[in-house]
Amino acid sequence: MTIMTEIAVLRIGHRPERDQRVTTHVGLTARALGAKGMFLAGDDRGIVESIKDVAGRWGGDFFINDGVRWKRCIQDWKDSGGVVVHLTMYGINLPDVEEELKTKDKLLVVVGAEKVPGDLYAIADYNVAITNQPHSEIAGLAVFLDHLFQGRELSGEFPGAQIRVIPSKQGKFAEGG
Amino acid sequence: MTIMTEIAVLRIGHRPERDQRVTTHVGLTARALGAKGMFLAGDDRGIVESIKDVAGRWGGDFFINDGVRWKRCIQDWKDSGGVVVHLTMYGINLPDVEEELKTKDKLLVVVGAEKVPGDLYAIADYNVAITNQPHSEIAGLAVFLDHLFQGRELSGEFPGAQIRVIPSKQGKFAEGG
């Protein structure tokens, strides 16, 4: 399986107390569904450690960098030839833009917490909705990655894993760990 | 657009303090991506009210019932001819089972919080993984619904909405509300 587009995630608006679990879900979803890594605007060592811990045991080379400034992160991504996609319920619905996005080599997917800075809408190259309904940035990211990778990421490999699930009709089986 | 399979969600293991936001994301994701409603094992009026509030303003006829007992809910579903799918990273990977699931008329998708009762694996008709990697029940549910509905749910209509987004390349526009 070769996934052509390189995708990283930028999580903004993270509030260390309130958003810890949701941001952790964002990071783990990014990793499991084929993103290369996550930039976290804000400092949160706890999240960085817990995602690194998962990545260490379950394999692959997902990166996570906290403490980034979001505008600088976006500018650096653009300077290196990348395209920036902001996921928002106010954007263009995914089915209307996904074929165009699949032609890009390098995407930074920006997912916000409850409110995002107003200028993000103008700075992003694309504002994309996963339905124009209110739901969850975790769900939005998951559907976005799955569409961009055309479902192939669901069978992705994670080299160097210490632990591996043995898929089963019933029960819980794993090897290693 | 006609979506043939009827899907409802059963959320189990909900802890009112700890899981409020994640369970709310589960419910809103279920609604936005075409499920008929959500059963919540456990009582949480706050979640019920907040999801009903969204459904009231944004349209459609999503139902939410809290206070259900999970085994009874599953048994009732089976008695009415429905099939039960438990989403778990230990299950059969989605690509290996989705064509079979698409032939069913009525699916109950069970999503747990951190730990689920061991007998759920045997009671469910299918244990299905959205990758065999650890990530998020919200992401798992989103990808599952999107695959079962083949992306058509992304353009779903929500009749009776008081507020509607006007999809836009930049900025935030809505009518009504």
Side-chain angles (χ1 to χ4, degrees):
Chain A
M1 178 195 62
T2 312
I3 287 174
M4 296 306 289
T5 307
E6 179 189 331
I7 300 186
V9 172
L10 168 61
R11 168 67 162 171
I12 67 172
H14 172 75
R15 296 155 297 181
E17 291 296 295
R18 200 174 143 73
D19 296 323
Q20 210 138 32
R21 282 187 74 202
V22 172
T23 298
T24 302
H25 281 222
V26 167
L28 294 177
T29 296
R31 175 187 168 277
L33 298 183
K36 296 287 182 190
M38 179 169 81
F39 301 100
L40 178 56
D43 299 299
D44 198 321
R45 283 284 98 187
I47 286 178
V48 170
E49 292 311 319
S50 95
I51 291 175
K52 279 191 172 162
D53 177 62
V54 169
R57 284 182 297 132
W58 291 86
D61 53 0
F62 189 79
F63 72 80
I64 172 159
N65 296 343
D66 71 338
V68 306
R69 289 183 300 148
W70 70 269
K71 277 190 182 172
R72 162 57 68 93
C73 183
I74 286 176
Q75 195 54 55
D76 286 349
W77 191 266
K78 287 183 171 181
D79 288 347
S80 75
V83 168
V84 176
V85 176
H86 170 217
L87 296 188
T88 163
M89 63 183 280
Y90 295 100
I92 303 296
N93 201 10
L94 180 64
D96 299 325
V97 74
E98 66 179 283
E99 291 312 317
E100 186 175 333
L101 292 177
K102 280 176 191 163
T103 66
K104 311 296 180 187
D105 293 329
K106 226 182 133 184
L107 296 178
L108 181 68
V109 183
V110 187
V111 287
E114 314 247 313
K115 278 234 162 174
V116 299
D119 44 353
L120 175 57
Y121 292 87
I123 293 171
D125 296 305
Y126 293 88
N127 290 284
V128 174
I130 312 302
T131 79
N132 295 108
Q133 296 288 320
H135 56 102
S136 165
E137 63 267 40
I138 302 164
L141 176 63
V143 171
F144 184 86
L145 292 173
D146 185 57
H147 275 244
L148 265 284
F149 295 144
Q150 300 167 62
R152 290 173 300 179
E153 85 291 350
L154 295 178
S155 310
E157 297 288 332
F158 291 81
Q162 294 164 26
I163 180 169
R164 223 178 243 106
V165 164
I166 302 162
S168 164
K169 288 196 175 184
Q170 277 185 12
K172 300 166 67 168
F173 302 99
E175 57 188 2
Chain B
M1 177 195 62
T2 312
I3 288 174
M4 297 304 289
T5 307
E6 179 189 332
I7 301 185
V9 172
L10 167 60
R11 168 66 161 172
I12 68 173
H14 171 74
R15 296 155 296 182
E17 291 297 296
R18 197 174 144 75
D19 296 323
Q20 211 139 31
R21 283 186 74 201
V22 172
T23 298
T24 302
H25 281 224
V26 167
L28 294 177
T29 296
R31 176 187 168 278
L33 299 184
K36 297 287 181 190
M38 179 168 81
F39 301 100
L40 178 57
D43 299 299
D44 198 321
R45 283 284 100 188
I47 285 177
V48 170
E49 293 310 320
S50 95
I51 291 175
K52 279 191 171 161
D53 177 62
V54 168
R57 286 182 295 131
W58 291 87
D61 54 359
F62 189 80
F63 73 81
I64 172 160
N65 296 344
D66 70 339
V68 306
R69 288 183 301 149
W70 71 268
K71 276 189 183 173
R72 161 58 66 94
C73 183
I74 286 176
Q75 194 54 56
D76 287 349
W77 191 267
K78 287 183 171 182
D79 288 347
S80 75
V83 168
V84 176
V85 176
H86 170 216
L87 297 188
T88 163
M89 62 183 282
Y90 295 100
I92 303 296
N93 201 11
L94 181 62
D96 298 324
V97 75
E98 66 178 284
E99 291 313 317
E100 185 175 333
L101 292 176
K102 280 177 191 163
T103 66
K104 311 295 179 188
D105 294 330
K106 227 182 133 184
L107 296 179
L108 181 67
V109 184
V110 187
V111 287
E114 315 248 313
K115 278 236 163 173
V116 299
D119 44 354
L120 176 55
Y121 292 87
I123 292 171
D125 296 305
Y126 294 88
N127 291 284
V128 175
I130 313 302
T131 78
N132 296 108
Q133 296 288 320
H135 55 102
S136 164
E137 62 268 41
I138 303 164
L141 176 63
V143 170
F144 184 85
L145 292 172
D146 184 59
H147 275 243
L148 266 284
F149 295 145
Q150 299 165 63
R152 291 174 301 178
E153 85 292 349
L154 295 178
S155 311
E157 298 288 333
F158 290 82
Q162 296 164 26
I163 180 168
R164 224 177 243 107
V165 164
I166 302 162
S168 164
K169 287 196 174 185
Q170 278 185 11
K172 299 166 67 166
F173 302 100
E175 58 189 2

